[in-house]
Amino acid sequence: MAVRSSSGLVAYVNARLLDPATGLDAKGALLTNGETVADVGPGLFQGGVPSGIEVVDCQGHCLAPGLVDMRVQLREPGEEHKETLKSAGEAAVAGGVTSMVCLPNTTPVIDEVATVEFVARRARKIGLAKVYPYAAATKHLDGKELSEMGMLAEAGALAFTDGTRAIRNAQVMRRALGYAATFGLLIVQHPEEPSLAEGGMMSEGELATRMGLSGIPAAAEAIMLERDMRLVAITGGRYHAAHVSTAEGLDIIRKAKARGLPVTCDTAPPYFALNELAVGDYRTFAKLSPPLRSEADRQAVVAALKDGTIDAVASDHAPQDQDSKRVPFAAAEFGGVGLETLLPVTLELAHNGHLGLVEALKLITCAPAAILGLEGGRLRVGASADLVLFDPDFAWKVDAKAFRSKSKNSPFDDRPVQGVALRTVIDGRPVFLRDG
Amino acid sequence: MLLDLADGYVEQNRSLDKRKNLLRGRTVINLFFENSTRTRTSFELAGKRLGADVINMQSAGSSVQKGETLIDTAMTLNAMHLDVLVVRHPDSGAVKLLSEKVNCAVINGGDGSHEHPTQALLDALTIRRSKGKLSGLTVAICGDVLHSRVARSNIYLLNAMGASVRLIGPRTLLPSGVDRMGVEVFHDMRRGLENVDVIMMLRIQNERMRGNFIPSIREYFHFFGLDYEKLGRAKPDAVIMHPGPMNRGVEIDSDVADDVERSLIRSQVEMGVAVRMACLDMLTRHLPITEGAA
């Protein structure tokens, strides 16, 4: 496929260029010089590639910016038996992800400059997908004292969140938003009223009742979002709601945006591709947080993706080992892995006619990058050459056993999907090549 | 007016004979419901140098501690026939309540997070003696505005005197609506200090540092502590003030606080006595000469 050279120049020719930031969708070529994009466009190399330049024939496949996954749990440091920076890095590049933003819920918690630097340094050394940390919004994620947001941001923390825990105390949230706004920083919330979610295992409703499992009402999301919108209004702080899953929650975000509040949100593939029926048979791999919701909620998520209420899609990658999942439903941990299914499941939005291919891609490239102030997620001359070459139509069946991720807890196991990363490039270096 | 009068008292305080008998026979009581060294001593000196009888009452050990209400205290004081009452109280508005119940002149020595007018006056005198004027100057007030009575009084006074006021601090320490008090608000200290003439640092209460308002002292000092690097953004002749007591290494770097070229912090204490003398002087001019005339 490639002709080697030593010039440091690589030409990706015969590509379908997709750049969601500009809406570009055209046949063309891209040239990288060392670590950066040197040129890109439909007209490039029309007269052939000059000698001395390494050539990659894209065979008409899609060449796009590498995916930016704005919500992953990496488990290192502290729970390396579930996932490590290396195994997550391998899973990421196999899924076309070149940048991932990790939650601070490690052990120790990422609430100190030293931990931020540890994660960044370890990830750089591994050299796979780039890792950017969120730092804790409150020390030890215990929802009481603010973390040193200013200094953590200077050390490289992209935004602040208590991860899988909601910032529960309204006064603490108000101060967190206000303090973050001092420096123009973003607060990311897990929007779920903890007192309503406590003890709940799945979405509240008929199915939970039939299964005899305690439920988490959709109102838990709405109540927290409604409260937070009011706090955003009085503080002016930037706010991002993670993995919004309910129709009511999305309505609140939609209204807040219409009022001009500095609010964004994302969802994760399970919330537009699955509903609560996936937990039937007590499938613990579909025990997620927030829980999979009703079909009406799923449809509302799709509608919100179409109308722009939802800004981005994140994998919500949450590795759990067998011992955490092969237990009775009530005892099982929440979460599913998602790095290797982010691309194909998001592409379902295009295959099902809800969004165009470029629009669907935007949700996992330039849109999350813009929310977090990352430069990636677009094809821009001079920017880092973080790229994914993918075949959007290639049909395959998810096989969790084949995942690079150390944990195999996917809610999408056995799902027939379309779309696969063929080659992933980071800083001009090929870091993943699909066999065959 | 008051500041000119205070100017005169500065000279008197610097001379060998600091006493004047203007207030002979008058009684001044310093009624302090909150610990204070600087303000109480300053008022005490001011009263004594004008020849008044000055008595200090601290709430600790007094009948207030035994549960007496503020209004009962006022009645007790009325019975003692005093002329001026200086009050410091931890609750905003308490001084006003007391002033409505006593039949003597009352000076607010600082109430809660509301006002500390003599501090603003002494700050104005300090600036005027250093810069020759107040009008047209840009003054930055930095730090814990939320809890600061000094900041509120200074905002009113400096605005009245034609200075422009900037507030600098993290959002958690700037109270809501403060932007409508005739000030410019900054969250980036380096930008806020750009070209200012005067920098007023506010005291951060250490007990408030941990937890909700601010993550840590370390972080506070990094972004909002006055050091030479940040001072470099102000005018080359910008002066530094602090109402005291200072937390060195929290809101202000020791070297900056002690810089004789830039720091007016000691001068503020000196001006405090003079300003309080001027206040006592002016207030007693309007008091009835004989008891019971009011």
Side-chain angles (χ1 to χ4, degrees):
Chain A
M1 198 148 130
V3 181
R4 294 242 153 245
S5 93
S6 56
S7 65
L9 296 171
V10 183
Y12 297 82
V13 300
N14 192 19
R16 178 179 173 191
L17 296 173
L18 298 176
D19 185 12
T22 59
L24 174 74
D25 179 357
K27 280 189 179 303
L30 182 143
L31 177 70
T32 63
N33 182 1
E35 297 185 358
T36 57
V37 175
D39 205 351
V40 60
L44 187 62
F45 300 130
Q46 278 196 330
V49 180
S51 63
I53 298 180
E54 181 182 335
V55 174
V56 176
D57 182 355
C58 298
Q59 300 175 329
H61 294 309
C62 295
L63 186 64
L67 310 189
V68 176
D69 188 345
M70 71 181 295
R71 189 176 177 92
V72 299
Q73 300 182 51
L74 292 184
R75 306 288 186 232
E76 181 180 347
E79 289 184 286
E80 286 85 350
H81 59 291
K82 292 182 174 178
E83 192 80 288
T84 62
L85 285 163
K86 185 155 194 297
S87 63
E90 284 165 354
V93 297
V97 174
T98 56
S99 292
M100 48 185 173
V101 191
C102 64
L103 295 189
N105 59 343
T106 46
T107 313
V109 166
I110 305 180
D111 62 356
E112 289 274 348
V113 167
T115 329
V116 169
E117 286 171 351
F118 167 82
V119 170
R121 193 175 59 245
R122 279 277 295 147
R124 258 199 317 277
K125 220 168 153 185
I126 290 164
L128 293 165
K130 295 172 180 175
V131 175
Y132 301 91
Y134 288 111
T138 67
K139 288 174 192 153
H140 320 299
L141 304 175
D142 64 7
K144 292 183 184 131
E145 296 178 8
L146 301 183
S147 66
E148 295 173 319
M149 293 185 201
M151 293 171 85
L152 288 161
E154 283 187 348
L158 277 195
F160 296 83
T161 179
D162 277 359
T164 58
R165 294 187 199 169
I167 300 171
R168 162 187 218 139
N169 181 299
Q171 183 69 285
V172 172
M173 184 49 139
R174 179 198 182 162
R175 300 243 166 88
L177 283 165
Y179 193 71
T182 302
F183 306 100
L185 301 172
L186 178 72
I187 297 286
V188 178
Q189 171 77 308
H190 167 68
E192 185 177 64
E193 169 51 46
S195 55
L196 289 173
E198 224 167 78
M201 296 156 216
M202 62 177 288
S203 193
E204 187 172 293
E206 184 193 337
L207 185 62
T209 300
R210 287 180 187 279
M211 290 175 74
L213 294 173
S214 57
I216 300 171
E221 183 173 281
I223 287 170
M224 188 54 87
L225 283 171
E226 190 65 67
R227 180 202 83 173
D228 285 349
M229 291 310 105
R230 285 159 199 268
L231 297 177
V232 168
I234 60 174
T235 57
R238 287 172 58 218
Y239 177 94
H240 179 86
H243 47 217
V244 181
S245 64
T246 67
E248 283 174 80
L250 289 163
D251 267 345
I252 291 163
I253 301 274
R254 192 176 284 120
K255 284 186 189 128
K257 286 184 165 190
R259 282 171 64 199
L261 293 179
V263 172
T264 51
C265 75
D266 70 69
T267 193
Y271 304 110
F272 59 79
L274 299 172
N275 63 26
E276 61 186 343
L277 295 174
V279 305
D281 257 356
Y282 301 94
R283 281 191 69 229
T284 57
F285 283 9
K287 182 179 178 183
L288 307 178
S289 172
L292 291 169
R293 298 291 186 183
S294 69
E295 175 59 15
D297 286 317
R298 187 196 70 80
Q299 287 178 17
V301 170
V302 172
L305 284 161
K306 288 167 80 167
D307 74 13
T309 299
I310 296 175
D311 302 88
V313 168
S315 74
D316 219 356
H317 185 75
Q320 301 291 3
D321 59 359
Q322 295 281 330
D323 298 334
S324 310
K325 284 290 193 183
R326 296 274 187 226
V327 290
F329 200 87
E333 297 276 359
F334 289 96
V337 291
L339 280 166
E340 290 166 80
T341 47
L342 176 65
L343 178 67
V345 183
T346 302
L347 289 179
E348 284 182 12
L349 293 165
H351 292 304
N352 294 340
H354 298 305
L355 296 174
L357 180 60
V358 173
E359 288 173 303
L361 205 56
K362 183 176 184 173
L363 296 165
I364 45 178
T365 53
C366 63
I371 291 167
L372 295 169
L374 286 172
E375 67 139 22
R378 51 193 304 173
L379 299 179
R380 196 168 55 81
V381 173
S384 298
D386 296 347
L387 309 166
V388 60
L389 180 67
F390 69 96
D391 177 348
D393 300 318
F394 182 83
W396 56 293
K397 203 169 184 184
V398 176
D399 177 9
K401 289 189 299 298
F403 281 167
R404 275 78 172 168
S405 190
K406 213 164 172 175
S407 292
K408 316 296 182 192
N409 55 309
S410 171
F412 294 117
D413 202 10
D414 284 337
R415 185 184 184 88
V417 291
Q418 272 180 282
V420 72
L422 301 171
R423 170 186 285 254
T424 306
V425 176
I426 290 175
D427 289 334
R429 286 174 297 118
V431 289
F432 172 76
L433 282 173
R434 190 163 296 277
D435 305 324
Chain B
M1 26 129 246
L2 193 135
L3 294 184
D4 300 325
L5 188 61
D7 259 328
Y9 284 120
V10 174
E11 299 317 312
Q12 183 188 321
N13 286 337
R14 284 177 180 175
S15 65
L16 199 60
D17 179 14
K18 300 177 178 62
R19 298 232 0 171
K20 217 171 161 181
N21 285 327
L22 216 58
L23 265 66
R24 193 169 59 189
R26 299 285 193 190
T27 305
V28 177
I29 292 189
N30 289 329
L31 179 59
F32 277 59
F33 295 92
E34 199 179 65
N35 285 336
S36 159
T37 310
R38 171 179 326 238
T39 307
R40 188 182 52 70
T41 311
S42 184
F43 270 110
E44 185 177 351
L45 267 179
K48 285 183 170 163
R49 283 181 181 168
L50 291 173
D53 296 318
V54 183
I55 290 151
N56 293 319
M57 285 175 64
Q58 295 276 1
S59 68
S62 76
S63 51
V64 175
Q65 283 257 306
K66 295 169 192 155
E68 188 178 67
T69 68
L70 199 58
I71 290 168
D72 285 341
T73 305
M75 295 309 151
T76 309
L77 292 168
N78 277 342
M80 292 178 182
H81 304 289
L82 60 153
D83 299 288
V84 180
L85 182 64
V86 179
V87 189
R88 153 83 50 107
H89 199 284
D91 293 335
S92 302
V95 177
K96 179 162 191 311
L97 177 65
L98 202 56
S99 73
E100 287 161 359
K101 302 296 174 191
V102 295
N103 43 27
C104 63
V106 174
I107 297 177
N108 184 352
D111 64 324
S113 308
H114 176 225
E115 283 227 52
H116 193 354
T118 58
Q119 178 72 43
L121 287 166
L122 76 87
D123 286 340
L125 181 63
T126 309
I127 297 170
R128 203 176 74 164
R129 287 176 66 96
S130 164
K131 296 283 180 192
K133 60 175 182 178
L134 286 164
S135 172
L137 296 179
T138 304
V139 182
I141 302 176
C142 313
D144 185 358
V145 177
L146 181 66
H147 300 103
S148 176
R149 51 192 171 218
V150 175
R152 285 168 179 76
S153 286
N154 265 309
I155 291 168
Y156 298 134
L157 191 144
L158 290 166
N159 272 329
M161 301 300 282
S164 56
V165 180
R166 296 181 185 179
L167 299 183
I168 304 173
R171 281 191 189 219
T172 42
L173 292 179
L174 295 172
S176 70
V178 79
D179 49 316
R180 291 211 296 270
M181 288 173 69
V183 297
E184 252 190 294
V185 176
F186 291 84
H187 304 299
D188 179 339
M189 190 164 182
R190 288 173 181 83
R191 280 189 45 227
L193 290 181
E194 226 45 91
N195 281 318
V196 302
D197 300 285
V198 180
I199 304 166
M200 284 187 181
M201 299 307 298
L202 298 174
R203 183 176 120 77
I204 274 282
Q205 270 96 338
N206 277 320
E207 63 274 17
R208 295 200 182 97
M209 289 299 298
R210 285 192 62 78
N212 273 342
F213 294 101
I214 284 164
S216 68
I217 289 169
R218 175 172 75 151
E219 168 136 328
Y220 187 77
F221 185 74
H222 184 68
F223 291 102
F224 297 101
L226 186 65
D227 55 18
Y228 276 113
E229 192 265 309
K230 297 188 194 89
L231 181 59
R233 300 299 183 102
K235 281 193 183 153
D237 62 348
V239 292
I240 300 150
M241 302 170 71
H242 193 300
M246 280 184 280
N247 292 307
R248 292 168 183 267
V250 178
E251 68 262 0
I252 191 161
D253 187 274
S254 262
D255 291 346
V256 173
D258 297 335
D259 187 332
V260 289
E261 302 284 306
R262 310 294 290 271
S263 171
L264 297 180
I265 296 170
R266 276 164 58 196
S267 166
Q268 285 174 277
V269 179
E270 184 187 3
M271 295 309 130
V273 179
V275 152
R276 283 156 186 145
M277 288 168 81
C279 289
L280 288 172
D281 180 354
M282 287 190 88
L283 273 176
T284 49
R285 284 182 199 183
H286 303 292
L287 283 181
I289 306 297
T290 52
E291 185 70 35

